[in-house]
Amino acid sequence: MDFFKGFFEESKNRRNETEYLKMLDEARPSFDSWIRACESGLPVYDMSISENAPASFFSGDPEYVARVGAVSFRIVPMSKCMRGFSVRTYLEDIIVFCNGELTETALSMLAEFFNTHPKCRIAYGDEDISIREQSDAEYAGPHYGTRSDPYFKPDWSPAEFVSHFYFCNIVAVRRSFVRELEWTGDGSGALFIYHNLSKVIFSGEYFALNCVGHVEGVLIHAADYNNNLITDPFVRESAERLRKEWEPEDKISIVIYTDNSVPRLEKALDSVLSAAEASRITPDLIVIDNASPESSRRRTVDLQLKYGFKYEYLTDRLSLYEMFAKGIELAEQKTVLFMSDRITFPEATALREMYDTACLKFSGIVGIKQLLAGSDRILHAGVFGTALGLMYKLKGFSDANDYAVGFNRFTKNVLAVSFECVMFKRDLFGEIGGFDSSPSSSYAGADLCIRLFEAGYFNAVCNGCFVEYEAYDGEIPRTGGALLCQDASALEKLKFYGRHPVVKARDPFYNRYLLRDNSDPRILPACEYSFELSAETAEKVSVADFSFVKRGEGPDITIEYAGRLGDYLHNETSDDYYIQGYMVMRDINNAGYLKYILLRADKIEYYIPVKGCYRSDVTMNCPGAENTEFSGFAVVINKSLLPADTYQIGAMMHRKHFREKAVNYIDVYLVVNK
């Protein structure tokens, strides 16, 4: 009997896994098909020119002209650009410098962009890599290659432009803007263009802030992204013409906040002083002691004699942002570094990089990449707006790898930064009126950053260098989504995101074609997961049946969102409800499980069957479970299906072809109003 029972059970397991793998194969995203679907409604310009081209056209890299409506273009390969280059003989409206094959939609998108953005003189766009699967005699006819590895760029990011040539393989310029430019420099190709465009971009504050725009869409099929690695010290020199005034000798106030750890404070002091010496920066040291015990206070006074810092002892504990405000009050220099005593500077150049970036006239608050002390694990590489809120991208990942075309290798402009280590111009704090909300609020720092951005400043994070952060005991970051201020109250979250809708609606420094609809910390194209691709509508809501339930062995549940669909989509017309997350049976094979969302009120329990959706990130968070890629759920619930009430959210997983059901509830609630 046991033999036959085992045989049939194994047979059912194999059947479940076969069905699961088939479903997974159908759901696994393809960038090529996804991006073509995204572009399907865009106007196409016929780039086929071989019929009328002279024979000389096909020798070397050709230039050619085109017209879209009233806008004329001259397309110039970057390889043509070197000493002696000039645009004075060109007659076309727009000059497009490119390294690769323009897409069929590129010129139409560029024409529309320049027509609708008259202040913009320069525009760049997104890219992808393409491998042709058949020969094509035309220079740029319909594209038949397989597309992959996209480079989706941020909106205009001046600090990143100073760091490297992130325009990479495509940039378009109004001829009138560079007609009188003397093209100089010993380089060629993209380096030559980078060098010369910096002269006009940073010729004045107005141009630095307003003359460059980003076309969100793939404009070129590139062979590689090597141009993205180009740096040029001259570009920084051009940008530094727009610096705020500072003392003839570079000086900064260094404010270190400490909390009952004299050895850690001494380590931080030694580290930052060494970095200041290597960076040729004169430090003015200030230590803020956040109400340490008397024994620690006395030892800190002894350190004061050794290092000569100004010592501010707080009798009452303050929040991080209250100490930030106190540091600004105590600082005397025009530039201030505010840091935790858990921060050290292993890289001698890191302080100088932060200082040079912070002193640029358009810079707001400047952070820096933070690694977990003694490891290569990323704690902070910038804070970005997603559909779920502000998120630390790449948290927990190894810095030994490159991500998203050098994302963790260059300075990036961002909406917000982590305040454990930031540098800024002291007068900016007063210019925008200090903290608008209470400095004790969880969102006070993010609020300050976004208000600076709204005032015309660009916050940045220096990812080309790093500091190390000594974690609290037990504070080991996992590789998973990390929303900013996860422990903030619901009222705080409501106020903050209501005040700054740009965070969830569209972060200008995080491309709309990138993954932003869930808690996945990776920087990937949105074909990996999006609401449009993943959401399903609940067909029915039924009273729950818990017969054959395996108590105590329920699935692990993560709820990323539970509330009004209109709030998630920023669409006030939708009154339906939406629940998003994933459920996993740990340490076993998840293939062949049917999934249900459970909703429990005081006197009744409902269940909603869900088909599930593809979530490759769950494997990172649940390493002991097998076949978890289809464990996600994104369910829209019509408001008419549920009575008004407050429902605790749970999950049930039912093993297909078996009678077993596993149930679990978590402390997350859906509030339904009528």
Side-chain angles (χ1 to χ4, degrees):
M1 182 66 69
D2 289 340
F3 170 79
F4 287 107
K5 181 179 178 181
F7 175 80
F8 284 117
E9 184 165 328
E10 180 62 27
S11 176
K12 290 176 181 178
N13 286 334
R14 285 198 302 269
R15 180 179 174 185
N16 283 342
E17 182 142 5
T18 299
E19 292 174 353
Y20 176 84
L21 293 176
K22 180 182 178 182
M23 179 176 63
L24 183 62
D25 187 60
E26 294 172 352
R28 189 170 281 125
S30 161
F31 172 75
D32 183 80
S33 58
W34 172 77
I35 192 64
R36 292 179 189 274
C38 292
E39 297 171 347
S40 61
L42 297 175
V44 172
Y45 180 83
D46 184 6
M47 299 288 291
S48 305
I49 58 174
S50 60
E51 292 183 5
N52 301 316
S56 60
F57 177 87
F58 297 100
S59 59
D61 291 328
E63 293 183 24
Y64 62 95
V65 297
R67 178 177 292 276
V68 177
V71 182
S72 57
F73 293 89
R74 176 172 288 267
I75 291 80
V76 180
M78 289 184 175
S79 59
K80 295 280 188 178
C81 301
M82 60 190 71
R83 181 180 289 275
F85 177 79
S86 173
V87 303
R88 289 175 180 166
T89 59
Y90 295 161
L91 302 176
E92 293 72 32
D93 302 315
I94 308 296
I95 304 168
V96 182
F97 299 102
C98 61
N99 179 41
E101 177 187 348
L102 292 180
T103 66
E104 294 177 287
T105 58
L107 294 186
S108 299
M109 284 195 287
L110 284 169
E112 180 183 8
F113 181 86
F114 280 111
N115 283 334
T116 55
H117 297 79
K119 291 183 179 180
C120 277
R121 275 75 165 182
I122 299 172
Y124 60 95
D126 304 325
E127 312 178 21
D128 62 22
I129 302 293
S130 182
I131 301 173
R132 283 204 177 269
E133 296 172 339
Q134 64 185 70
S135 60
D136 186 357
E138 297 171 338
Y139 176 71
H143 191 82
Y144 300 106
T146 300
R147 299 166 62 177
S148 63
D149 302 314
Y151 181 12
F152 290 126
K153 304 169 189 175
D155 282 0
W156 170 231
S157 303
E160 182 169 3
F161 184 79
V162 170
S163 177
H164 68 122
F165 188 52
Y166 79 93
F167 295 175
C168 200
N169 292 308
I170 178 77
V171 57
V173 185
R174 291 188 192 270
R175 178 180 59 88
S176 58
F177 188 50
V178 294
R179 181 173 50 206
E180 303 303 323
L181 175 65
E182 291 293 335
W183 296 75
T184 60
D186 296 327
S188 62
L191 174 60
F192 185 82
I193 295 167
Y194 182 36
H195 181 95
N196 284 281
L197 288 186
S198 71
K199 295 190 291 186
V200 289
I201 290 174
F202 298 122
S203 60
E205 183 177 1
Y206 176 84
F207 292 134
L209 299 179
N210 298 287
C211 79
V212 184
H214 171 221
V215 180
E216 268 191 318
V218 177
L219 300 184
I220 195 165
H221 305 306
D224 56 55
Y225 298 134
N226 291 337
N227 286 340
N228 187 64
L229 304 177
I230 292 174
T231 61
D232 185 354
F234 177 81
V235 177
R236 182 175 292 277
E237 294 171 11
S238 299
E240 286 176 350
R241 301 190 195 115
L242 301 176
R243 272 187 171 184
K244 291 274 191 183
E245 293 298 324
W246 68 84
E247 300 296 330
E249 180 183 6
D250 293 342
K251 294 182 179 180
I252 62 173
S253 290
I254 299 177
V255 181
I256 304 176
Y257 66 91
T258 186
D259 184 3
N260 194 26
S261 180
V262 176
R264 193 169 60 230
L265 173 61
E266 186 169 16
K267 183 179 178 182
L269 284 164
D270 287 337
S271 174
V272 75
L273 287 173
S274 295
E277 181 179 5
S279 301
R280 301 183 302 280
I281 291 174
T282 303
D284 181 10
L285 292 174
I286 301 167
V287 171
I288 298 178
D289 189 332
N290 199 17
S292 294
E294 178 62 21
S295 58
S296 292
R297 190 192 69 80
R298 287 196 301 268
R299 293 172 63 194
T300 304
V301 170
D302 293 338
L303 277 187
Q304 184 183 18
L305 297 176
K306 177 180 178 181
Y307 292 97
F309 52 77
K310 183 187 297 183
Y311 183 40
E312 182 76 8
Y313 180 77
L314 305 175
T315 56
D316 297 314
R317 291 185 65 82
L318 298 181
S319 72
L320 170 65
Y321 304 116
E322 288 172 321
M323 287 189 288
F324 179 87
K326 174 63 73 172
I328 293 173
E329 178 185 321
L330 297 172
E332 297 179 357
Q333 305 304 324
K334 295 183 177 180
T335 306
V336 181
L337 173 69
F338 179 76
M339 59 178 278
S340 165
D341 65 357
R342 295 179 177 275
I343 295 291
T344 54
F345 283 78
E347 286 192 322
T349 59
L351 190 64
R352 169 56 66 174
E353 181 66 26
M354 291 185 74
Y355 180 76
D356 287 344
T357 303
C359 286
L360 295 171
K361 190 167 186 178
F362 44 73
S363 286
I365 293 181
V366 176
I368 187 169
K369 179 171 64 182
Q370 296 174 25
L371 304 184
L372 181 66
S375 78
D376 62 2
R377 297 179 71 181
I378 297 172
L379 296 179
H380 169 60
V383 179
F384 296 88
T386 71
L388 301 178
L390 289 172
M391 181 184 291
Y392 295 102
K393 284 289 184 178
L394 299 182
K395 186 171 184 177
F397 283 79
S398 170
D399 193 48
N401 302 320
D402 291 342
Y403 304 99
V405 198
F407 180 93
N408 55 321
R409 297 291 179 248
F410 299 102
T411 296
K412 307 288 291 186
N413 284 115
V414 292
L415 267 186
V417 297
S418 167
F419 273 64
E420 277 82 10
C421 184
V422 293
M423 192 178 290
F424 56 97
K425 297 180 282 286
R426 183 166 54 89
D427 60 353
L428 289 185
F429 191 70
E431 183 178 320
I432 64 168
F435 287 113
D436 196 29
S437 57
S438 168
S440 62
S441 166
S442 302
Y443 287 102
D447 179 77
L448 182 67
C449 287
I450 296 173
R451 285 168 49 230
L452 279 168
F453 168 70
E454 291 169 346
Y457 293 97
F458 290 81
N459 305 309
V461 58
C462 297
N463 283 346
C465 47
F466 69 92
V467 295
E468 288 190 342
Y469 176 84
E470 182 181 331
Y472 292 90
D473 292 340
E475 185 190 12
I476 305 299
R478 65 185 178 90
T479 303
L483 290 175
L484 192 72
C485 308
Q486 291 189 80
D487 298 328
S489 69
L491 181 59
E492 278 187 303
K493 293 177 181 179
L494 184 65
K495 286 182 177 179
F496 174 75
Y497 290 115
R499 178 181 297 176
H500 301 297
V502 66
V503 173
K504 291 187 176 182
R506 184 188 178 277
D507 182 340
F509 305 111
Y510 192 74
N511 194 293
R512 69 184 178 95
Y513 285 109
L514 289 173
L515 173 65
R516 63 180 307 277
D517 285 353
N518 65 17
S519 61
D520 191 334
R522 297 173 295 177
I523 303 173
L524 298 172
C527 60
E528 185 71 24
Y529 180 94
S530 69
F531 173 83
E532 291 78 11
L533 294 174
S534 305
E536 59 180 293
T537 300
E539 297 179 358
K540 62 179 180 178
V541 175
S542 307
V543 177
D545 172 18
F546 290 142
S547 58
F548 297 99
V549 168
K550 294 182 69 174
R551 299 293 180 180
E553 300 182 20
D556 286 353
I557 317 162
T558 296
I559 300 296
E560 297 172 329
Y561 184 85
R564 289 184 63 254
L565 177 62
D567 293 338
Y568 179 87
L569 298 177
H570 311 285
N571 176 5
E572 292 302 323
T573 62
S574 177
D575 291 327
D576 292 335
Y577 291 88
Y578 179 60
I579 301 177
Q580 174 181 297
Y582 54 89
M583 62 180 80
V584 174
M585 294 293 290
R586 283 193 176 270
D587 302 321
I588 64 172
N589 190 336
N590 281 249
Y593 273 89
L594 301 175
K595 303 178 185 67
Y596 303 85
I597 293 174
L598 304 180
L599 299 173
R600 179 167 65 187
D602 287 340
K603 298 181 180 179
I604 196 166
E605 291 178 276
Y606 296 104
Y607 74 91
I608 303 172
V610 297
K611 298 175 183 176
C613 60
Y614 182 81
R615 289 290 299 263
S616 64
D617 59 309
V618 176
T619 302
M620 300 184 300
N621 301 330
C622 306
E626 298 178 50
N627 291 323
T628 60
E629 296 90 345
F630 217 75
S631 59
F633 52 85
V635 182
V636 177
I637 307 169
N638 189 285
K639 63 179 181 179
S640 65
L641 294 179
L642 288 171
D645 212 328
T646 298
Y647 297 92
Q648 186 178 10
I649 300 176
M652 178 170 68
M653 294 182 69
H654 177 193
R655 196 177 177 196
K656 196 187 299 185
H657 310 304
F658 294 86
R659 302 183 71 182
E660 299 171 1
K661 299 175 184 176
V663 170
N664 188 23
Y665 277 93
I666 59 174
D667 196 23
V668 178
Y669 297 83
L670 174 68
V671 178
V672 175
N673 300 306
K674 291 298 182 182

